[in-house]
C-alpha cells in the first residue's frame, strides 16, 4: 500500500469513524475524519485527499450534496458512500450511480479492502480514472455526464481525436444504473466490412466459411449493459440499415438464423467527424442519425481548456515515474508555458506522447522546453509555420507522417482501416509507413 494515500472519512457516528480509521490504518493509509459536510469541506480545502468515504445522511445535509461539491471543486478525489444495512436496494443503486461505490455497514472488511484496491490502486491515467481538469468546460462536461448517466437515452459524443470521447462514454456507463453490467466498446472503423454483420449480431455454425461454432455478437455481449459505437461515422451504409433495424426492434438476428433475439442495450456513439455533415453528404443515414443523436455531448479540445494542461501533465509524469519505479520528473516553468502556447491538434493523447518522449530525453528529472520537441510539430500560428519552412520536401514528409500516425491511432493501428480512411491501397499504405519509418 502507498503510505501517501490519504482518506477523508465523513460520518457523524463516532463508532463508524473509529472502525474505519483503525482498519484503514492497518492498510497503511492516512485518515482524517469529519462529522459534517461543513467540516469535510474545510478539510478538503486545506489538504489533498485521494478518497472520500461519506455517510449518506449527515447533520447538515446529505452525502450526495458533499459528493457533488467534490466533483465540482476537487475532481481528483475519488468518492464512495457509506450506507446502513437496511437501506432499500433502489436507494443503493441511486447512490452507486452518483458515488461510484457503496460501503455497507456493519463493515465488511473484505468489501472495504476491495473498494480501496479499485479506487486507489487502479493504474494512473487509465480509462477508469476520472476526467482531469477544473476549467469551466470540464466542469460543464462532468455535470452533463452526471445527468446523462442516470438516463437511458442514446448519446452522441462528439469531439476531436484524442480528446477523451471513449473515457467520457465509459464514465456515463460507470456512473449509471448499468454499471455492474457489461461495458462493450467497439471501433466501427476497425471491423472489415464483410465481417460487420457477424461481429455485431453473431452467427450460427456453418453460416459462412470459417463459422465453426455458434457465436454471439456484440449486441448480445452487451445485453443489460452499454454498447459504445466508436467512430460510428465509418459504418458503411449497408450496415447502417441493419443497425437501425436492431435499434428499432430491440432485437438482433444472427447470420444464418431465422429467429430474432431480444436485447436490452444502452447505445452510446462517438466520432471525430461531423455527423450532420456526413448526413448532408449522403454518407450517413438521416434516420439512423436521429435515432443515435437523441442527446449530443461535446468533449472540448485541449486548446479550449489550457488551464487543465498542468494537472494533466502532472498525472502523466506520475504515471511514467510509477511505471519506471522512479521519482516523478518535474516540468520546468518554461516548458509548461510552451505547452500552454501549443494548439495540440492531437489533444490529450498528443500531450501524453510529448511528455513520454520528454521524460525519456530529459536530464536530472527536469523537463526543459527543448525536451518537448515542439519545434518538430505544427506551431500555434499557421503563418509562423510557413515562415519557418526551409525544406519543402521535409515539411511535407512531416505532415504526411503526422497524418498517418493520427489515423493509425484512431483505428488502433489497424493498417487496413487506416488505409481506407486515407483513401490508399493497403500496398501504398505499407510503402508509406516503411518510407517514413513507421512500420
Amino acid at each position: 500500500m502507498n503510505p501517501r494515500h490519504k482518506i477523508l472519512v465523513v460520518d457523524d457516528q463516532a463508532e463508524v469513524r473509529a472502525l474505519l480509521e483503525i482498519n484503514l490504518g492497518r492498510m497503511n493509509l492516512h485518515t482524517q475524519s469529519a462529522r459534517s459536510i461543513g467540516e469535510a469541506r474545510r478539510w478538503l480545502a486545506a489538504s489533498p485527499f485521494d478518497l472520500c468515504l461519506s455517510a449518506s445522511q449527515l447533520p447538515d445535509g446529505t452525502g450526495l450534496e458533499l459528493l457533488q461539491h467534490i466533483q465540482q471543486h476537487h475532481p481528483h478525489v475519488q468518492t464512495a458512500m457509506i450506507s446502513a444495512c437496511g437501506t432499500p436496494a433502489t436507494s443503493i443503486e441511486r447512490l452507486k450511480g452518483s458515488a461510484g461505490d457503496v460501503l455497507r455497514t456493519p463493515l465488511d472488511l473484505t468489501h472495504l479492502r476491495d473498494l480501496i484496491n479499485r479506487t486507489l490502486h487502479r493504474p494512473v491515467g487509465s480509462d477508469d480514472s476520472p476526467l482531469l481538469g477544473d476549467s469551466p468546460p470540464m466542469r460543464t462536461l462532468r455535470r452533463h455526464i452526471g445527468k446523462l448517466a442516470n438516463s437511458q437515452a442514446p448519446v452522441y459524443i462528439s469531439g476531436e481525436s484524442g480528446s477523451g470521447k471513449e473515457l467520457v462514454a465509459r464514465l456515463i456507463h460507470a456512473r449509471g444504473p448499468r454499471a455492474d453490467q457489461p461495458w462493450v466498446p467497439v471501433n466501427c472503423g476497425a471491423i472489415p466490412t464483410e465481417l460487420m454483420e457477424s461481429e455485431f449480431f453473431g452467427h450460427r455454425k456453418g453460416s459462412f466459411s470459417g463459422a465453426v461454432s455458434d457465436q454471439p455478437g456484440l449486441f448480445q455481449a452487451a445485453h443489460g449493459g452499454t454498447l459504445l459505437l466508436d467512430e460510428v461515422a465509418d459504418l458503411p451504409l449497408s450496415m447502417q440499415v441493419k443497425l437501425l433495424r436492431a435499434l428499432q426492434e430491440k432485437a438482433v438476428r444472427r447470420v444464418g438464423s431465422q429467429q430474432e433475439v431480444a436485447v436490452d442495450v444502452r447505445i452510446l456513439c462517438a466520432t471525430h467527424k461531423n455527423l450532420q455533415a456526413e448526413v448532408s453528404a449522403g454518407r450517413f443515414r438521416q434516420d439512423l442519425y436521429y435515432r443515435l443523436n437523441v442527446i449530443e455531448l461535446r468533449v472540448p479540445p485541449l486548446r479550449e481548456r489550457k488551464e487543465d494542461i498542468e494537472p494533466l501533465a502532472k498525472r502523466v509524469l506520475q504515471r511514467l515515474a510509477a511505471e519506471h519505479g522512479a521519482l516523478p520528473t518535474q516540468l520546468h516553468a518554461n516548458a509548461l508555458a510552451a505547452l500552454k502556447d501549443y494548439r495540440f491538434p492531437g489533444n490529450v493523447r498528443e500531450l501524453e506522447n510529448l511528455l513520454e518522449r520528454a521524460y525519456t530525453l530529459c536530464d536530472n528529472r527536469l523537463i526543459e522546453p527543448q525536451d518537448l520537441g515542439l519545434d518538430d510539430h505544427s506551431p500555434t500560428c499557421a503563418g509562423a509555420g510557413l515562415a519557418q519552412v526551409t525544406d519543402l520536401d521535409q515539411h511535407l514528409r512531416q505532415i504526411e507522417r503526422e497524418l498517418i500516425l493520427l489515423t493509425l491511432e484512431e483505428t488502433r493501428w489497424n493498417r487496413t482501416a487506416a488505409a481506407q480512411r486515407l483513401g490508399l491501397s493497403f500496398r501504398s499504405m505499407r510503402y508509406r509507413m516503411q518510407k517514413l519509418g513507421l512500420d
Side-chain angles (χ1 to χ4, degrees):
M1 295 268 181
N2 187 337
R4 288 175 294 179
H5 283 315
K6 194 170 181 180
I7 317 298
L8 177 62
V9 177
V10 189
D11 201 301
D12 60 336
Q13 298 185 43
E15 62 272 20
V16 173
R17 295 196 307 272
L19 189 59
L20 283 169
E21 286 177 350
I22 291 169
N23 285 284
L24 292 171
R26 287 173 179 167
M27 298 180 196
N28 202 22
L29 298 166
H30 294 311
T31 60
Q32 177 62 55
S33 291
R35 291 165 292 184
S36 65
I37 292 178
E39 189 177 353
R41 290 177 65 163
R42 288 193 292 274
W43 277 115
L44 287 163
S47 180
F49 290 91
D50 299 288
L51 171 65
C52 176
L53 295 173
S54 172
S56 57
Q57 296 295 328
L58 294 163
D60 53 349
T62 68
L64 290 178
E65 293 174 28
L66 175 59
L67 298 190
Q68 289 170 357
H69 171 80
I70 291 172
Q71 289 170 359
Q72 290 180 3
H73 300 284
H74 309 280
H76 309 328
V77 179
Q78 306 273 9
T79 58
M81 195 72 79
I82 306 168
S83 180
C85 189
T87 304
T90 52
S91 298
I92 293 293
E93 289 303 315
R94 187 165 62 252
L95 293 178
K96 282 184 178 180
S98 300
D101 209 335
V102 174
L103 186 64
R104 303 292 292 271
T105 57
L107 190 63
D108 183 328
L109 297 183
T110 301
H111 187 189
L112 175 62
R113 187 172 291 274
D114 288 344
L115 183 149
I116 293 298
N117 286 331
R118 280 196 304 273
T119 55
L120 299 184
H121 302 152
R122 61 170 56 115
V124 176
S126 73
D127 287 345
D128 291 331
S129 300
L131 287 168
L132 285 183
D134 200 33
S135 62
M138 293 306 288
R139 290 184 190 178
T140 300
L141 181 61
R142 277 192 294 272
R143 187 168 65 252
H144 289 167
I145 288 173
K147 292 178 179 179
L148 294 175
N150 293 317
S151 166
Q152 294 303 306
V155 180
Y156 161 43
I157 304 169
S158 62
E160 297 177 4
S161 295
S163 57
K165 297 186 294 298
E166 183 173 343
L167 173 55
V168 168
R170 188 184 292 271
L171 287 172
I172 291 173
H173 167 77
R175 295 179 180 177
R178 295 176 181 257
D180 293 333
Q181 300 301 316
W183 158 256
V184 180
V186 53
N187 188 330
C188 299
I191 303 175
T193 303
E194 62 274 13
L195 296 179
M196 274 194 174
E197 187 174 0
S198 171
E199 287 288 316
F200 275 101
F201 308 135
H203 61 258
R204 296 292 304 274
K205 179 180 178 180
S207 56
F208 57 86
S209 177
V212 296
S213 63
D214 288 357
Q215 291 292 334
L218 293 165
F219 268 83
Q220 287 177 282
H223 181 70
T226 305
L227 179 63
L228 169 63
L229 303 174
D230 200 6
E231 297 303 345
V232 69
D234 291 344
L235 285 174
L237 287 168
S238 59
M239 189 61 204
Q240 292 177 29
V241 175
K242 296 169 183 175
L243 176 61
L244 178 62
R245 175 176 171 76
L247 297 179
Q248 289 173 334
E249 303 297 327
K250 297 183 179 179
V252 297
R253 180 185 298 144
R254 293 187 184 187
V255 176
S257 174
Q258 298 302 313
Q259 295 182 331
E260 286 193 336
V261 179
V263 288
D264 171 25
V265 175
R266 185 183 187 184
I267 297 293
L268 306 177
C269 71
T271 179
H272 73 286
K273 296 181 179 179
N274 184 324
L275 210 51
Q276 181 63 64
E278 295 295 300
V279 171
S280 300
R283 291 187 292 266
F284 201 85
R285 291 181 62 94
Q286 188 174 54
D287 45 8
L288 178 59
Y289 171 75
Y290 287 125
R291 172 71 61 170
L292 295 173
N293 187 22
V294 175
I295 302 172
E296 180 175 353
L297 181 62
R298 178 178 178 269
V299 182
L302 189 53
R303 63 180 172 275
E304 290 182 7
R305 53 186 190 101
K306 291 195 172 184
E307 56 264 60
D308 295 334
I309 288 176
E310 184 171 5
L312 284 166
K314 286 182 178 178
R315 170 66 70 89
V316 173
L317 294 176
Q318 287 171 355
R319 171 176 60 81
L320 290 170
E323 289 174 356
H324 291 82
L327 292 173
T329 294
Q330 302 300 312
L331 194 63
H332 192 281
N334 291 340
L336 177 60
L339 289 174
K340 289 184 176 181
D341 284 341
Y342 183 58
R343 283 187 60 80
F344 283 104
N347 291 292
V348 178
R349 185 187 297 136
E350 185 180 9
L351 173 64
E352 292 173 345
N353 292 342
L354 282 172
L355 289 172
E356 187 160 3
R357 165 183 167 174
Y359 178 90
T360 304
L361 296 177
C362 74
D363 297 319
N364 302 318
R365 291 199 300 271
L366 180 64
I367 295 176
E368 304 274 2
Q370 62 269 22
D371 298 321
L372 296 170
L374 290 177
D375 290 341
D376 299 335
H377 295 71
S378 301
T380 301
C381 175
L386 291 175
Q388 294 172 8
V389 174
T390 56
D391 185 330
L392 181 59
D393 288 338
Q394 182 180 355
H395 184 67
L396 293 175
R397 278 197 301 272
Q398 180 65 27
I399 293 174
E400 182 182 13
R401 189 176 191 276
E402 290 183 0
L403 180 59
I404 290 177
L405 267 176
L406 186 61
T407 308
L408 284 167
E409 288 178 356
E410 290 169 359
T411 58
R412 290 171 171 79
W413 283 79
N414 183 311
R415 291 185 293 176
T416 301
Q420 290 176 347
R421 188 174 293 186
L422 291 169
L424 301 172
S425 66
F426 181 77
R427 176 179 291 184
S428 176
M429 180 71 171
R430 185 171 58 186
Y431 166 75
R432 289 169 184 265
M433 288 180 65
Q434 289 173 343
K435 182 184 70 172
L436 296 168
L438 298 175
D439 198 17

